[in-house]
Amino acid sequence: MKFSASQIAGLLNGTIEGDANASISTLSKIEEGVPGSISFLSNPKYTAYLYQTQASIVIVENTLELTGPVSATLIRVESAAAAFATLLEMYNQVKLNKSGISPQSFISPSAKVGTNIYAGEFSFVGENAVIGNNVKIYPQVYIGDNAVIGDNTTLFAGVKIYSETQIGKNCIIHAGTVIGSDGFRFNPENDHKKVPQIGNVIIEDDVEIGANCAIDRATLGSTILRKGVKFDNLIHIAHNVEIGEHTYFAAQGVVGGSTKIGKNCMISGQVGMVGHLQIADRTTMTAQTGISKSITKPGETYMGSPAFEISKYRKAYIQFRNLEALAKRVEQLEKQGK
Amino acid sequence: MKFSASQIAGLLNGTIEGDANASISTLSKIEEGVPGSISFLSNPKYTAYLYQTQASIVIVENTLELTGPVSATLIRVESAAAAFATLLEMYNQVKLNKSGISPQSFISPSAKVGTNIYAGEFSFVGENAVIGNNVKIYPQVYIGDNAVIGDNTTLFAGVKIYSETQIGKNCIIHAGTVIGSDGFRFNPENDHKKVPQIGNVIIEDDVEIGANCAIDRATLGSTILRKGVKFDNLIHIAHNVEIGEHTYFAAQGVVGGSTKIGKNCMISGQVGMVGHLQIADRTTMTAQTGISKSITKPGETYMGSPAFEISKYRKAYIQFRNLEALAKRVEQLEKQGK
Amino acid sequence: MKFSASQIAGLLNGTIEGDANASISTLSKIEEGVPGSISFLSNPKYTAYLYQTQASIVIVENTLELTGPVSATLIRVESAAAAFATLLEMYNQVKLNKSGISPQSFISPSAKVGTNIYAGEFSFVGENAVIGNNVKIYPQVYIGDNAVIGDNTTLFAGVKIYSETQIGKNCIIHAGTVIGSDGFRFNPENDHKKVPQIGNVIIEDDVEIGANCAIDRATLGSTILRKGVKFDNLIHIAHNVEIGEHTYFAAQGVVGGSTKIGKNCMISGQVGMVGHLQIADRTTMTAQTGISKSITKPGETYMGSPAFEISKYRKAYIQFRNLEALAKRVEQLEKQGK
């Protein structure tokens, strides 16, 4: 897709300075601008790049005063950052504007399918599944029997949705993620027999989940991700976990079975929580934290494994770094005492 | 699938109280019972829910004495918990009772395929692969050349089995798991050349593996998971590892190359072991433990990174939490000494 | 595939002792040799196995003097290790010598495809994608629109390559790995709106990536893996990360957004780095290390979380193990002071 400076100026309600026929097919940072790309200048710290950039078009603010020659075509707008954000979204919408049901997909005759969906090659929709309007099912996606996918949700290539899973509206699930696999429950005392996992997973609206995550179904009842939860890549969620609205979860987290996490928590990378905990709203956990006890007070920050409150942890860790010196000081005191 | 109270009472050899035509299509916890579901009451702590539940049918014990009106149909049996467990298994069997070879699958003409198998859409079976009886191959599964899959084993959607892998009977492998990828061996001294990985993976009977795991083939010889090993999600097993019978492994564990783990070990989430270790039988490792040395004494529990014996670790960690105070006490002693 | 001793001796320019018609179909370690396999003896420590092995053929050195009867056919060469390495590579080449475009694959009419490629069943190549010569695309692989795959690169079963990704020559990517998923960026202050991720991933030549990794595209610009980078399984790389030439990364590592890692680093398993760091060349990180600050001095080794220099860490950790004893010594000193 190519766009000319005049087309873009029209979209952004901007004014052109330079070649109105300059055309672009991609977007770039101003310091990395290549021919055929459009960039923007908002932060004054980057002004010097305007005079060096190879970008074909640069969006700048109406108030900018040039101090030298610029090779790029300029488009002047009120807010360059806002205009560029608009372009980013439009670009993404065009790029992701897939539609149509591939003859090489498989949709069970008993499935109910909404209007304007995309079902890519080698995608599979099981019996009695319900697919909303404008759903995008990329190639090699699997949607099991009785699963429900809400309107405007996108499942990228190779996502695997087990049977009975319910996914809300406006969700995005990235490639390779598995939702609804069996919880990890066996009975070592009874010949290691598997505990049947017959619950499901419920994912509410506006949830985004990264690539190659694994979210287990409940033993009975539901594993639940509430509205607006955001997951990075490679996260493991055990059976019967519940995660509150707008909680953010960075890569490679682990949550043990039946733990309930509150709203608006910020969980960094490689964090682990054992099972059967309650985590208060607005809890923050730093990277690699290990949580072994429930957290009842909202809004606190935790660090370490097992974790405790961050300022106390940092003070202890400062001493840990110098622990050999402390031990020598104790030794010295003991010598003096003799 | 719908079942009536009278059908279920027949299956469980129970007695009906209430509407024998009440019908259900799913199972629920008594405290979360919804219309159209069947629940059970076994633990007396939950008795109050019996009078509130919306479940259409509740399984109760013969000895239960009602103290008020109940809207659900009751089915009385000797052990409500055992009866419900029977229902769970039956439900799962019906749900997972897939069969038939899809015309949209690919099975190599040289593969040997047992009786009564399921091969879902877009599944692939390579040359000379051997598939046992009653094997379930879900959509988008890949089984490489010469792989062997034992009777009654289930491979969920998108499992990838590399060539030469051998999987036993009655195994369950969840979606997205990769078995038989190359071990991570290169030669930094010789132009970073790859060390060819021509061994395989052997998985014995009754093994269950969670979603999105990655189990590497041996450089030469075999990476082995012994009978009854149970894996949670997102676990990495390097080349030439061996894991003993009935060892349990929670999510996101890592085992380095050539490490041998004993029988009946219990390994918590996010545990890591470096390569070339021997781990004794019945070893327990707590969450996020890092094992850097072999463990020779069976039945011990380890914590920390690098790990040591748990009771010693906990004592050290109690002091660590108060390390700033300890440092101040030493400072105070030094002042006193002057 | 079966090979006779005389065929192999011809390939290796070796001399046969014993049955020239002995035939093998696989390779083995001498201590695990089974009938029908070929093994080798190079390290004198393993000499005793020569007289016990069940391998049908053993490669030995010209200089070896036998001290007893050997049942295997011997092939004498100058260097047994080198000869066996040659066999390993040949075996792998034969095993991986897939070719042809399956009629059950989907290749977009606008894609450009090189000569001698393999495109397995249910693989997908998007619009305007460019596939080099001798590329191997295993079953169920997804290659998005505008992606570029260099000559001689192998994508194993189920690899998912998002649109615009660029992969160099001679790369190997293992099953289930996802490349080009969206970076994890949302705006909690602005109704949790997603920041569009419209950059890409660039992977240079000679890179190998393990199974079930997840490598995010850049927000703008590129996430870059330089020439010769080697990744183990289940690694997460965030948006806009850059990893220098020949850096090795063991399993389950995490790198936060925009971090730049130098050349020839050695990163052990389960290591995490937060975002926006600079890591110097030849840095080593031990298992489970957590890096929270930039590293400017090349060639150092780090341990712990948060990490510091390894020899200092080890000294502190020795004291940590005995922290209870140290606390008791301080208590004792306090008593003495009274």
Side-chain angles (χ1 to χ4, degrees), chain C residues 286-324:
Chain C
T286 66
Q288 298 188 326
T289 291
I291 305 284
S292 56
K293 289 183 182 166
S294 287
I295 294 174
T296 52
K297 193 176 166 194
E300 299 285 296
T301 300
Y302 291 82
M303 188 172 182
S305 175
F308 48 97
E309 195 277 323
I310 187 168
S311 64
K312 209 181 158 198
Y313 191 90
R314 283 189 171 146
K315 283 174 190 164
Y317 204 74
I318 286 167
Q319 300 301 331
F320 169 74
R321 283 169 172 270
N322 296 301
L323 205 47
E324 201 197 14

Coordinates of all heavy atoms in Angstrom, one line a residue, chain C residues 286-324:
Chain C
T286 N 24.7 -16.2 35.1 CA 24.4 -17.6 35.6 C 22.9 -17.8 35.7 O 22.1 -16.9 35.6 CB 25.1 -17.8 37.0 OG1 24.4 -17.0 37.9 CG2 26.6 -17.5 37.0
A287 N 22.5 -19.1 35.9 CA 21.1 -19.4 35.9 C 20.3 -18.6 36.9 O 20.7 -18.3 38.0 CB 21.0 -20.9 36.2
Q288 N 19.1 -18.2 36.4 CA 18.1 -17.5 37.3 C 18.5 -16.1 37.7 O 17.9 -15.4 38.5 CB 17.7 -18.3 38.5 CG 17.1 -19.6 38.2 CD 16.5 -20.4 39.4 OE1 17.1 -20.3 40.4 NE2 15.4 -21.1 39.2
T289 N 19.6 -15.6 37.0 CA 20.1 -14.2 37.3 C 19.0 -13.2 36.9 O 18.3 -13.4 35.9 CB 21.4 -14.0 36.5 OG1 22.4 -14.7 37.1 CG2 21.8 -12.5 36.6
G290 N 18.9 -12.1 37.7 CA 18.0 -11.0 37.3 C 18.8 -9.8 37.1 O 19.4 -9.3 38.1
I291 N 18.7 -9.2 35.9 CA 19.6 -8.0 35.6 C 18.7 -6.8 35.6 O 17.7 -6.7 34.8 CB 20.2 -8.2 34.2 CG1 21.1 -9.5 34.2 CG2 21.1 -6.9 33.9 CD1 22.4 -9.5 34.9
S292 N 18.9 -5.8 36.5 CA 18.1 -4.7 36.6 C 18.8 -3.4 36.2 O 18.2 -2.3 36.2 CB 17.6 -4.6 38.0 OG 18.6 -4.5 38.9
K293 N 20.1 -3.5 35.9 CA 20.9 -2.3 35.5 C 21.8 -2.6 34.3 O 22.2 -3.7 34.1 CB 21.8 -1.9 36.7 CG 21.0 -1.3 37.9 CD 22.0 -0.8 39.0 CE 21.2 -0.2 40.1 NZ 22.0 -0.1 41.3
S294 N 22.1 -1.6 33.6 CA 23.0 -1.8 32.4 C 24.4 -2.3 32.9 O 24.8 -2.0 34.0 CB 23.2 -0.5 31.7 OG 22.0 -0.2 31.0
I295 N 25.0 -3.0 32.0 CA 26.4 -3.6 32.3 C 27.3 -2.9 31.2 O 27.1 -3.1 30.0 CB 26.4 -5.1 32.2 CG1 25.5 -5.7 33.3 CG2 27.8 -5.6 32.2 CD1 25.3 -7.2 33.2
T296 N 28.3 -2.2 31.7 CA 29.1 -1.4 30.8 C 30.5 -2.1 30.6 O 31.1 -1.9 29.5 CB 29.4 0.0 31.3 OG1 29.8 -0.1 32.7 CG2 28.1 0.8 31.3
K297 N 31.0 -2.9 31.5 CA 32.3 -3.5 31.4 C 32.2 -4.8 30.7 O 31.5 -5.7 31.2 CB 32.9 -3.6 32.8 CG 34.4 -3.9 32.8 CD 34.9 -4.0 34.2 CE 36.3 -4.6 34.3 NZ 36.7 -5.0 35.6
P298 N 32.9 -5.1 29.6 CA 32.7 -6.3 28.9 C 33.4 -7.5 29.7 O 34.3 -7.3 30.4 CB 33.4 -6.1 27.6 CG 33.8 -4.6 27.5 CD 33.8 -4.1 28.9
G299 N 32.9 -8.7 29.4 CA 33.6 -9.9 29.9 C 33.4 -10.3 31.3 O 34.0 -11.2 31.8
E300 N 32.5 -9.6 32.0 CA 32.2 -9.9 33.4 C 31.1 -11.0 33.6 O 30.3 -11.2 32.7 CB 31.8 -8.7 34.2 CG 32.8 -7.6 34.2 CD 34.0 -7.9 35.1 OE1 33.8 -7.9 36.3 OE2 35.1 -8.0 34.6
T301 N 31.1 -11.6 34.7 CA 30.1 -12.7 35.0 C 29.2 -12.2 36.2 O 29.7 -11.7 37.2 CB 30.7 -14.0 35.4 OG1 31.5 -14.4 34.2 CG2 29.7 -15.1 35.7
Y302 N 27.9 -12.4 36.0 CA 26.9 -11.9 37.0 C 26.1 -13.0 37.6 O 25.8 -14.0 36.9 CB 26.0 -10.8 36.4 CG 26.8 -9.6 36.1 CD1 27.6 -9.5 35.0 CD2 26.8 -8.5 37.0 CE1 28.3 -8.3 34.7 CE2 27.6 -7.4 36.8 CZ 28.3 -7.3 35.6 OH 29.1 -6.2 35.4
M303 N 25.6 -12.8 38.8 CA 24.8 -13.8 39.5 C 23.9 -13.1 40.5 O 24.1 -12.0 40.9 CB 25.8 -14.7 40.3 CG 25.1 -15.9 41.0 SD 26.4 -17.1 41.7 CE 25.3 -18.4 42.3
G304 N 22.7 -13.8 40.7 CA 21.8 -13.2 41.7 C 20.7 -12.4 41.1 O 20.7 -12.1 39.9
S305 N 19.7 -12.0 42.0 CA 18.6 -11.2 41.5 C 18.2 -10.2 42.6 O 17.7 -10.7 43.6 CB 17.5 -12.1 41.1 OG 16.3 -11.4 40.8
P306 N 18.5 -8.9 42.5 CA 19.2 -8.3 41.4 C 20.7 -8.7 41.4 O 21.3 -8.9 42.5 CB 19.1 -6.8 41.7 CG 18.0 -6.7 42.7 CD 17.9 -7.9 43.4
A307 N 21.3 -8.9 40.2 CA 22.6 -9.5 40.1 C 23.7 -8.5 40.4 O 23.6 -7.3 40.3 CB 22.7 -9.9 38.6
F308 N 24.8 -9.1 40.9 CA 26.1 -8.4 40.9 C 27.2 -9.4 40.6 O 26.9 -10.5 40.2 CB 26.3 -7.6 42.2 CG 26.0 -8.3 43.5 CD1 27.1 -8.9 44.2 CD2 24.8 -8.4 44.0 CE1 26.9 -9.5 45.4 CE2 24.5 -9.0 45.2 CZ 25.6 -9.6 45.9
E309 N 28.4 -8.9 40.6 CA 29.6 -9.6 40.1 C 29.7 -11.0 40.8 O 29.5 -11.0 42.1 CB 30.8 -8.8 40.2 CG 32.0 -9.2 39.4 CD 32.8 -10.3 40.2 OE1 32.9 -10.2 41.4 OE2 33.2 -11.3 39.5
I310 N 30.0 -12.0 40.1 CA 29.8 -13.4 40.7 C 30.7 -13.7 41.9 O 30.2 -14.3 42.8 CB 30.0 -14.5 39.6 CG1 29.7 -15.9 40.1 CG2 31.4 -14.4 39.0 CD1 29.5 -16.9 39.0
S311 N 31.9 -13.3 41.9 CA 32.8 -13.7 43.1 C 32.3 -13.0 44.3 O 32.3 -13.6 45.4 CB 34.2 -13.4 42.8 OG 34.4 -12.0 42.7
K312 N 31.8 -11.7 44.2 CA 31.3 -11.0 45.3 C 29.9 -11.7 45.8 O 29.7 -11.8 46.9 CB 31.0 -9.5 44.9 CG 31.1 -8.6 46.1 CD 30.8 -7.1 45.8 CE 30.4 -6.4 47.0 NZ 29.8 -5.2 46.8
Y313 N 29.1 -12.1 44.8 CA 27.9 -12.8 45.1 C 28.1 -14.0 45.9 O 27.5 -14.3 46.9 CB 27.1 -13.1 43.8 CG 25.7 -13.5 44.2 CD1 24.6 -12.5 44.3 CD2 25.4 -14.8 44.4 CE1 23.3 -12.9 44.6 CE2 24.1 -15.2 44.8 CZ 23.1 -14.3 44.9 OH 21.8 -14.6 45.3
R314 N 29.1 -14.8 45.4 CA 29.3 -16.1 46.1 C 29.8 -15.9 47.5 O 29.4 -16.7 48.4 CB 30.4 -16.9 45.3 CG 29.8 -17.5 44.0 CD 30.8 -18.5 43.4 NE 30.1 -19.2 42.3 CZ 30.7 -19.6 41.2 NH1 32.0 -19.2 41.0 NH2 30.0 -20.3 40.3
K315 N 30.6 -14.9 47.7 CA 31.1 -14.6 49.1 C 29.9 -14.2 50.0 O 29.8 -14.7 51.1 CB 32.1 -13.5 49.1 CG 33.5 -14.0 48.6 CD 34.5 -12.9 48.5 CE 35.8 -13.4 47.8 NZ 36.6 -12.3 47.3
A316 N 29.0 -13.4 49.4 CA 27.8 -13.0 50.2 C 26.9 -14.2 50.5 O 26.4 -14.4 51.6 CB 27.1 -11.9 49.5
Y317 N 26.8 -15.1 49.5 CA 25.9 -16.2 49.6 C 26.4 -17.2 50.7 O 25.6 -17.8 51.4 CB 25.7 -16.9 48.3 CG 24.3 -17.6 48.2 CD1 23.1 -16.9 48.1 CD2 24.3 -19.0 48.3 CE1 21.9 -17.6 48.1 CE2 23.1 -19.7 48.2 CZ 21.9 -19.0 48.1 OH 20.7 -19.7 48.1
I318 N 27.7 -17.4 50.7 CA 28.3 -18.3 51.8 C 27.9 -17.8 53.2 O 27.5 -18.5 54.0 CB 29.9 -18.3 51.6 CG1 30.3 -19.1 50.4 CG2 30.5 -18.8 52.9 CD1 31.7 -19.0 50.0
Q319 N 27.9 -16.4 53.3 CA 27.5 -15.9 54.6 C 26.0 -16.0 54.8 O 25.6 -16.3 56.0 CB 27.9 -14.4 54.7 CG 29.4 -14.1 54.6 CD 30.2 -14.8 55.6 OE1 29.8 -15.1 56.8 NE2 31.5 -15.2 55.3
F320 N 25.3 -15.9 53.7 CA 23.8 -16.0 53.9 C 23.4 -17.4 54.4 O 22.5 -17.6 55.2 CB 23.2 -15.8 52.5 CG 21.7 -16.1 52.4 CD1 20.7 -15.3 53.0 CD2 21.3 -17.3 51.8 CE1 19.4 -15.7 53.0 CE2 19.9 -17.7 51.7 CZ 19.0 -16.9 52.3
R321 N 24.1 -18.4 53.9 CA 23.8 -19.8 54.3 C 24.0 -20.0 55.8 O 23.3 -20.8 56.4 CB 24.8 -20.8 53.6 CG 24.5 -21.1 52.2 CD 25.7 -21.8 51.6 NE 25.5 -22.3 50.3 CZ 24.9 -23.5 50.0 NH1 24.7 -24.4 51.0 NH2 24.7 -23.9 48.8
N322 N 24.9 -19.2 56.4 CA 25.2 -19.3 57.8 C 24.6 -18.1 58.6 O 25.2 -17.8 59.7 CB 26.7 -19.5 58.0 CG 27.1 -20.8 57.4 OD1 26.7 -21.8 57.8 ND2 28.0 -20.6 56.4
L323 N 23.6 -17.5 58.1 CA 23.2 -16.2 58.6 C 22.6 -16.4 60.0 O 22.8 -15.5 60.9 CB 22.1 -15.6 57.7 CG 22.0 -14.1 57.8 CD1 23.3 -13.4 57.7 CD2 21.1 -13.6 56.6
E324 N 22.0 -17.5 60.3 CA 21.4 -17.7 61.7 C 22.6 -17.8 62.7 O 22.5 -17.2 63.8 CB 20.6 -19.0 61.7 CG 19.7 -19.0 62.9 CD 19.2 -20.4 63.3 OE1 19.7 -21.4 62.8 OE2 18.2 -20.4 64.0

